[in-house]
């Protein structure tokens, strides 16, 4: 039966090549746009680089400090003192790591300025994030404790500075400090916001120690547990601590703190929709907004396809008349037309996937997002497939219903 | 003629409804893109109010809390050391940098009005070096030191928004009370200072005076340098060394205004470009869809057209009929879209979308949709004229 439907559909597509082309054009480009968006979101949510352990950790990188009446508010990143006095008391995480966030720094070589990003971290950072070292190693607890001037750099910087020769043991000068390079890692995509940098050094090499007195600063914290289901416990413990057991001897009358340990999806939601006096991330709102956006974007191509298909009913009225006269039920006809519609969407979808692979390659090479790699993987393909089915069903259902309702007598006569 | 066509369109309202819906949505897309493009073009045309050539910014990144006794001395020393360099012609203080999304907005109530503005601080000589234009009054000067008022400079938009038609020089623009005993006296009005660049919003702007000798506890955040022309970027390295020697506890970020400006324009235009590409693709799709539907409809209406030809309609009249029909359908679609769109300025959803912008964007979008309809209907209409009456009436 299905075989017959497919065969009929094929003949119909070939009969009017121009209409098939219009349909394919709309479907493939719509799906290409959606696939590109999906694979970018996917690349953010499921990183392939050092952050591939992201299912096991949450990030605390936002803090709102305020007073009882919210008349004076600081919103931003965390200060070292806040981390030391509060977050380090958390008992549920297995590993707690802090780093300074990525900031820009200029290196000068051969009369050229090289803008680079660098990050000060502790030793735990290297345990939580899965960096691939090309040579050398990360710095350990001892080196951090002693404030040794050692640095890890990425492959691109190593090649820029030393060409093909090994970078290990060489020195690196920036910010008037001299570091010894002890490790070279693979380049990290800019989309991995907690891992990306060109240079990593121990946080204890900060030129002054007065950062230890600040509740507000530029720090971010990663809390890790080997069992992903424990991450919610960490969030609960943290919020509980902020509500009931907060240490904050601040001079400006700040006595209330809002913050949260978030995974990647929660983090976007928090940035986009959460108000600053909240512990919640607003993931439901984000999910709703995303779904509405996708539906609205698919609406125009769908209506377009419905229009085309409806106007082609007449073309097939004699076929429908014959099928009805020989006893085909309305539901059988509906099924047939939906199969047809899904079939053409599938073909369009495949073309769309090819287009999106091509465009994603272009985006990667353009260097718009440094070291980004957006691959097609099974998850993205699966989402694409679901989109194709939804799209095919939406645009096939209404014309199919309309066709199945044709009166067989008038259909055979060729009129409505 | 038109009434007749209206009747025909109405008679086929069921099959036309979807086309109307499609055109309405397409019009919403075209309108949004046009409005966005127009708005940015207008912004780009509005003068910046300052020169960015040969200007460099040094942002101070303190790794410790600001301690005025220690840090003001360091900044002063840095300023004088830098000015000694032959590459540097002038050195100034400016808190919030140009061309970055780094701004200080503030608001307060005065005589029942909410005064909302973007603020900044600079030193006395800075506006001349930045190439800003003074319209009334004067810039800051030593006569402002030790006074019982806070001198401020405001831009023309500030005056036009909050004190239209008034002479504001010497005017106090703050609510004076116990908490806020000092008046804020306007000493001058300048043309503009569009801190965040050509594509940023137009806001009322206010400068406070930054006097390093009587500076409060507020940290100083940046130094702006006017460089002699053709200074190589590598001079940065030397600057870093000089500044690090004076203030080893700070880090410095050096950027030219020109490079910040390029980044700002690129970052603003990128999302608009992506939207425009997606919008164009949607339009091509709609156009091809309409074209297909019309072609199909014309084929289905062979008998009707044959009859009209037999009764003496000319080819031209048939052609015009098909095109006018689509235009009438488009008109319905656009009207529905217009009903939705007009809510935006009525409800003031986007403060940027004023009536004149709405009007011009609407007009351009209307022209584009009309063109699109005519183009889509042209070829199917042409086909319709090819039916000879006898052939058409024989259709069955």
């Amino acid at each position: 039966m299905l075989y017959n439907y497919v065969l009929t559909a094929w003949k119909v597509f070939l009969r009017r090549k121009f209409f098939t082309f219009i349909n394919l054009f709309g479907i493939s480009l719509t799906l290409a746009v959606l696939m590109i968006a999906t694979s970018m979101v996917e690349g953010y949510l499921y990183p392939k680089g050092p952050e591939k352990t992201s299912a096991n950790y949450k990030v605390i990188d936002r803090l709102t400090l305020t007073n009882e009446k919210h008349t004076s508010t600081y919103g931003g990143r965390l200060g070292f003192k806040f981390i030391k006095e509060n977050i380090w008391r958390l008992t549920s995480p297995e590993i707690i790591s802090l780093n300074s966030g990525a900031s820009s720094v200029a290196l000068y070589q051969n009369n050229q300025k090289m803008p680079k990003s660098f990050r000060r971290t502790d030793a735990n950072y290297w345990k939580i994030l899965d960096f691939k070292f090309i040579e050398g190693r990360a710095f350990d607890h001892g080196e951090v404790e002693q404030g040794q001037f050692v640095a890890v750099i990425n492959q691109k910087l190593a090649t820029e500075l030393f060409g093909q020769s090994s970078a290990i043991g060489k020195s690196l000068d920036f910010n008037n400090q001299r570091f010894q390079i002890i490790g070279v890692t693979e380049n990290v995509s800019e989309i991995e916001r907690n891992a990306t940098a060109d240079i990593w050094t121990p946080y204890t090499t900060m030129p002054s120690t007065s950062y230890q007195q600040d509740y507000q600063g530029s720090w971010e914290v990663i809390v890790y547990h080997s069992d992903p289901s424990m991450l919610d416990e960490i969030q609960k413990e943290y919020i509980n601590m902020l509500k009931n057991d907060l240490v904050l001897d601040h001079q400006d009358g700040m006595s209330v703190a809002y913050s949260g340990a978030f995974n990647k999806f929660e983090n976007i939601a928090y940035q986009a929709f959460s108000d600053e006096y909240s512990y919640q991330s607003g993931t439901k709102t984000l999910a709703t907004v995303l779904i509405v956006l996708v539906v609205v974007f698919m609406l125009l191509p769908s209506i377009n396809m419905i229009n085309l298909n409806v106007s082609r009913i007449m073309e097939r009225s004699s076929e429908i008349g014959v099928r009805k006269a020989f006893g085909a039920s309305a539901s059988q006809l509906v099924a047939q037309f939906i199969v047809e519609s899904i079939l053409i969407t599938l073909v369009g979808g495949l073309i769309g996937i090819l287009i999106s692979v091509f465009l994603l390659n272009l985006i990667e090479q353009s260097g718009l997002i440094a070291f980004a790699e957006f691959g097609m993987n099974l998850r993205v393909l699966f989402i694409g497939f679901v989109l194709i089915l939804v799209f095919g069903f939406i645009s096939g259902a209404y014309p199919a219903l309309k066709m199945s309702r044709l009166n067989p007598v008038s259909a055979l006569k060729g009129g409505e | 003629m038109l009434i007749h066509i209206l009747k025909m369109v109405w008679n086929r309202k069921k099959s036309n409804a979807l086309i109307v819906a499609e055109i309405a949505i397409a019009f919403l897309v075209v309108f949004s893109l046009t409005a966005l493009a127009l708005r940015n073009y207008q912004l780009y045309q509005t003068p910046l109010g300052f020169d960015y050539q040969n200007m460099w910014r040094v942002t101070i990144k303190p790794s410790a809390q600001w301690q005025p006794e220690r840090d003001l001395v360091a900044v002063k020393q840095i300023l004088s050391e830098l000015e000694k360099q032959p590459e540097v012609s002038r050195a100034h203080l400016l808190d919030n940098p140009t061309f970055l999304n780094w701004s200080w907005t503030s608001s307060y109530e005065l005589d029942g009005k909410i005064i909302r503005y973007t603020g900044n601080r600079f030193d006395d000589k800075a506006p001349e070096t930045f190439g800003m234009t003074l319209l009334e009054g004067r810039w800051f000067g030593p006569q402002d030191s030790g006074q019982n008022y806070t001198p401020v400079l405001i831009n023309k938009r500030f005056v036009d928004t909050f004190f239209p038609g008034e002479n504001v020089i010497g005017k106090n623009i703050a609510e004076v009370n116990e908490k806020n005993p000092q008046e804020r006296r306007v000493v001058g009005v300048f043309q503009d200072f569009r801190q965040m660049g050509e594509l940023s919003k137009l806001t009322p702007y206010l400068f406070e005076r930054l006097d390093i000798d009587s500076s409060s506890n507020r940290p100083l955040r940046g130094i702006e340098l006017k460089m002699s022309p053709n200074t190589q970027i590598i001079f940065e390295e030397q600057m870093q060394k000089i500044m690090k020697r004076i203030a080893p506890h700070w880090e410095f970020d050096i950027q030219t205004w020109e490079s910040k400006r390029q980044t700002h324009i690129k970052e603003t235009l990128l999302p608009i470009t992506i939207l425009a590409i997606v919008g164009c693709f949607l339009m091509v799709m709609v156009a091809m869809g309409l074209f297909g539907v019309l072609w199909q409809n014309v084929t289905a209406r062979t008998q009707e057209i044959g009859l009209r030809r037999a009764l003496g309609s000319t080819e031209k009249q048939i052609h015009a009929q098909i095109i006018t029909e689509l235009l009438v359908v488009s008109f319905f679609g656009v009207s529905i879209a217009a009903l939705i769109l007009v809510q935006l300025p009525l409800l003031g959803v986007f403060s940027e979308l004023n009536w004149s912008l709405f009007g011009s964007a609407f007009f351009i979008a209307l022209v584009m949709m009309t063109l699109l309809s005519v183009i889509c209907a042209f070829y199917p209409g042409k086909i319709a004229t090819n039916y000879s009456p006898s052939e058409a009436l024989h259709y069955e």
Side-chain angles (χ1 to χ4, degrees):
Chain A
M1 200 56 165
L2 197 65
Y3 174 75
N4 279 337
Y5 289 172
V6 172
L7 203 68
T8 325
W10 183 246
K11 291 276 185 246
V12 173
F13 295 157
L14 288 185
R15 194 191 305 158
R16 278 302 192 81
K17 294 197 184 64
F18 178 68
F19 287 94
T20 314
F21 169 73
I22 295 180
N23 270 335
L24 284 179
F25 179 86
I27 298 163
S28 54
L29 281 179
T30 307
L31 284 168
V33 172
L34 288 172
M35 294 287 280
I36 289 171
T38 312
S39 67
M40 284 188 161
V41 171
E42 208 264 356
Y44 171 79
L45 291 180
Y46 304 96
K48 295 187 218 46
E51 293 190 5
K52 60 172 162 284
T53 52
S54 66
N56 290 90
Y57 67 77
K58 288 199 171 202
V59 175
I60 307 173
D61 65 356
R62 246 145 252 272
L63 171 68
T64 304
L65 289 177
T66 182
N67 50 15
E68 293 292 342
K69 287 187 176 151
H70 298 176
T71 50
S72 169
T73 299
Y74 161 83
R77 296 227 171 173
L78 289 72
F80 190 86
K81 196 173 185 190
F82 183 86
I83 300 172
K84 199 169 90 183
E85 291 180 351
N86 294 291
I87 297 177
W88 282 0
R89 287 189 290 128
L90 291 174
T91 52
S92 47
E94 286 175 347
I95 311 176
I96 299 178
S97 159
L98 64 85
N99 71 80
S100 65
S103 66
S104 61
V105 64
L107 262 58
Y108 305 95
Q109 197 196 21
N110 304 332
N111 285 341
Q112 294 290 321
K113 176 187 181 182
M114 298 196 286
K116 296 288 166 194
S117 79
F118 99 113
R119 198 183 276 272
R120 296 188 168 95
T121 79
D122 57 9
N124 280 340
Y125 183 78
W126 305 99
K127 288 188 197 157
I128 297 177
L129 301 176
D130 186 12
F131 281 88
K132 289 268 172 295
F133 277 82
I134 290 166
E135 51 178 346
R137 57 179 180 85
F139 37 83
D140 56 30
H141 279 294
E143 282 162 323
V144 174
E145 288 293 315
Q146 295 158 21
Q148 292 209 10
F149 285 81
V150 290
V152 172
I153 61 174
N154 70 359
Q155 192 182 9
K156 180 163 181 258
L157 181 59
T159 318
E160 279 171 352
L161 291 175
F162 311 109
Q164 292 306 312
S165 58
S166 167
I168 304 297
K170 302 256 171 62
S171 64
L172 178 71
D173 291 319
F174 65 94
N175 278 344
N176 257 22
Q177 291 179 324
R178 171 160 291 186
F179 294 87
Q180 193 192 11
I181 297 169
I182 58 164
V184 179
T185 74
E186 280 181 359
N187 298 329
V188 182
S189 163
E190 218 171 4
I191 219 167
E192 303 190 16
R193 295 188 325 154
N194 304 111
T196 184
D198 300 305
I199 306 165
W200 295 262
T201 65
Y203 74 88
T204 43
T205 58
M206 201 79 114
S208 142
T209 55
S210 46
Y211 65 89
Q212 296 180 358
Q213 306 310 315
D214 296 339
Y215 280 107
Q216 309 157 4
S218 70
W219 299 84
E220 57 191 42
V221 173
I222 308 178
V223 285
Y224 175 91
H225 202 286
S226 52
D227 177 7
S229 60
M230 286 298 291
L231 291 177
D232 287 338
E233 289 303 312
I234 299 179
Q235 163 78 344
K236 268 184 213 144
E237 190 197 347
Y238 183 44
I239 291 175
N240 195 27
M241 172 185 281
L242 292 176
K243 281 181 179 161
N244 305 319
D245 187 20
L246 184 70
V247 177
L248 205 65
D249 61 335
H250 211 277
Q251 61 272 30
D252 302 338
M254 304 284 196
S255 54
V256 185
Y258 296 94
S259 177
F262 297 128
N263 65 24
K264 295 195 158 264
F265 188 69
E266 288 166 343
N267 208 311
I268 313 184
Y270 188 74
Q271 280 181 41
F273 299 109
S274 183
D275 78 298
E276 50 187 349
Y277 307 119
S278 158
Y279 303 104
Q280 302 309 323
S281 57
T283 41
K284 272 186 196 148
T285 327
L286 178 63
T288 320
V289 168
L290 284 180
I291 290 170
V292 168
L293 273 180
V294 170
V295 169
V296 167
F297 182 70
M298 280 171 72
L299 195 63
L300 197 55
S302 301
I303 293 186
N304 202 29
M305 237 177 114
I306 292 172
N307 256 335
L308 266 182
N309 291 345
V310 167
S311 72
R312 291 180 69 190
I313 293 180
M314 296 312 300
E315 202 180 287
R316 304 185 57 183
S317 55
S318 42
E319 176 197 340
I320 298 163
V322 171
R323 299 245 314 144
K324 279 208 152 177
F326 277 88
S329 69
S331 55
Q332 277 173 327
L333 282 171
V334 168
Q336 180 190 340
F337 292 125
I338 288 184
V339 166
E340 258 179 42
S341 156
I342 288 179
L343 202 69
I344 192 162
T345 327
L346 268 180
V347 177
L350 287 180
I351 301 174
I353 289 171
L354 291 181
I355 296 175
S356 55
V357 168
F358 173 74
L359 287 178
L360 282 172
N361 261 322
L362 268 189
I363 296 172
E364 275 171 26
Q365 273 156 29
S366 70
L368 217 55
I369 303 168
F371 311 125
E373 273 178 41
F374 303 106
M376 281 290 153
N377 59 23
L378 281 178
R379 193 166 22 226
V380 178
L381 285 177
F382 175 74
I383 293 172
F385 187 70
V386 171
L387 285 175
I388 289 171
L389 289 186
V390 171
F391 195 71
F393 188 80
I394 293 175
S395 53
Y398 176 70
L401 263 179
K402 226 180 146 174
M403 285 197 213
S404 68
R405 284 197 191 131
L406 276 184
N407 181 343
V409 181
S410 63
L412 277 173
K413 274 188 174 167
E416 260 183 89
Chain B
M1 176 74 176
L2 204 61
I3 292 169
H4 181 65
I5 284 180
L6 265 175
K7 205 182 202 173
M8 285 201 294
V9 169
W10 185 251
N11 283 340
R12 296 162 52 81
K13 57 182 175 293
K14 245 181 142 179
S15 62
N16 279 333
L18 277 171
I19 303 183
V20 169
E22 185 173 357
I23 287 174
I25 298 175
F27 188 81
L28 292 179
V29 173
V30 176
F31 175 84
S32 322
L33 282 173
T34 318
L36 198 64
L38 270 183
R39 176 71 188 150
N40 278 291
Y41 180 73
Q42 281 176 355
L43 288 176
Y44 192 78
Q45 291 294 316
T46 314
L48 265 183
F50 61 87
D51 296 330
Y52 51 84
Q53 277 90 6
N54 299 318
M55 294 295 302
W56 290 21
R57 160 89 181 183
V58 180
T59 300
I60 301 169
K61 296 194 281 187
S63 56
Q65 235 155 22
W66 184 261
Q67 291 169 14
E69 336 52 86
R70 175 192 66 188
D71 293 336
L72 283 177
V73 177
V75 172
K76 266 192 207 171
Q77 218 178 329
I78 289 175
L79 283 174
S80 76
E81 278 297 316
L82 286 179
E83 277 198 322
K84 278 183 203 152
Q85 306 298 316
E87 286 87 349
V88 180
S89 52
R90 307 290 287 276
H92 294 284
L93 293 167
L94 176 74
D95 266 359
N96 296 319
T98 51
F99 300 113
L100 294 179
N101 278 333
W102 187 0
S103 71
W104 162 44
T105 52
S106 186
S107 66
Y108 62 90
E109 209 178 309
L110 178 69
D111 304 333
K113 273 187 293 193
I114 301 285
I115 310 270
R116 177 180 287 279
Y117 63 93
T118 310
N120 210 340
R121 291 195 303 168
F122 58 22
D123 61 50
D124 294 353
K125 295 278 180 235
E128 285 155 34
T129 307
F130 297 167
M132 292 166 59
T133 317
L134 187 70
L135 298 179
E136 283 174 77
R138 56 170 177 87
W139 298 121
F140 297 131
Q143 64 267 46
D144 293 316
S145 296
Q147 299 288 349
N148 59 352
Y149 60 82
T150 313
V152 294
L153 291 166
I154 55 181
N155 68 348
K156 190 160 178 302
R157 195 167 303 106
F158 198 114
V159 182
D160 293 344
T161 314
F162 303 121
F163 313 106
E166 281 180 55
N167 179 20
V168 290
I169 301 298
K171 186 181 165 70
N172 167 40
I173 56 163
E175 195 100 47
V176 180
N177 50 32
E178 303 97 60
K179 243 179 91 185
N180 223 349
Q182 284 227 320
E183 48 171 88
R184 279 183 140 182
R185 186 175 296 173
V186 179
V187 298
V189 177
F190 57 95
Q191 180 66 46
D192 211 348
F193 187 77
R194 297 183 61 204
Q195 186 204 330
M196 268 139 343
E198 280 103 331
L199 297 174
S200 64
K201 270 197 260 183
L202 305 170
T203 57
Y205 209 92
L206 179 146
F207 273 106
E208 283 177 22
R209 181 164 182 254
L210 200 166
D211 181 14
I212 194 160
D213 293 314
S214 61
S215 191
S216 62
N217 292 335
R218 248 162 74 189
L220 299 175
R221 298 157 82 180
I223 298 168
E224 308 289 352
L225 302 170
K226 178 91 182 174
M227 310 300 287
S228 41
N230 303 323
T231 306
Q232 298 301 310
I233 211 91
I234 197 65
F235 176 64
E236 268 190 47
E237 190 175 11
Q238 209 176 321
M239 276 170 55
Q240 288 275 14
K241 281 191 184 134
I242 295 168
M243 295 187 294
K244 269 285 183 183
R245 204 175 53 230
I246 299 165
H249 59 297
W250 285 341
E251 279 166 18
F252 303 96
D253 200 20
I254 308 176
Q255 278 175 299
T256 64
W257 288 22
E258 177 65 50
S259 73
K260 284 188 294 176
R261 176 174 172 267
Q262 300 290 351
T263 318
H264 155 75
I265 291 181
K266 216 171 84 184
E267 280 174 1
T268 318
L269 288 188
L270 185 71
I272 300 177
T273 317
I274 293 173
L275 284 180
I277 292 173
V278 173
C280 285
F281 135 67
L282 283 178
M283 281 312 107
V284 171
M285 201 181 63
V286 167
M288 293 203 332
L290 282 180
F291 177 76
V293 170
L294 233 63
W295 191 356
Q296 200 68 47
N297 284 353
V298 166
T299 323
R301 289 165 65 188
T302 323
Q303 296 160 48
E304 175 199 333
I305 292 163
L307 201 61
R308 281 180 57 97
R309 294 280 278 145
L311 292 177
S313 291
T314 62
E315 285 185 7
K316 244 188 183 155
Q317 280 172 322
I318 299 285
H319 202 173
Q321 180 200 345
I322 303 291
I323 294 177
T324 324
E325 266 183 33
L326 185 61
L327 282 178
V328 168
V329 173
S330 304
F331 174 76
F332 281 116
V334 171
S335 309
I336 292 172
L339 279 180
I340 299 170
L341 285 173
V342 84
Q343 308 299 321
L344 296 177
L346 276 181
L347 299 176
V349 183
F350 304 108
S351 56
E352 308 256 299
L353 188 72
N354 53 29
W355 283 109
S356 78
L357 179 66
F358 180 86
S360 19
F362 193 89
F363 178 73
I364 295 178
L366 187 68
V367 169
M368 280 163 73
M369 280 314 285
T370 312
L371 268 178
L372 190 97
S373 308
V374 172
I375 292 171
C376 289
F378 192 83
Y379 183 69
K382 193 91 191 153
I383 294 176
T385 61
N386 287 341
Y387 300 146
S388 76
S390 55
E391 192 187 323
L393 287 172
H394 267 122
Y395 181 68
E396 236 178 311

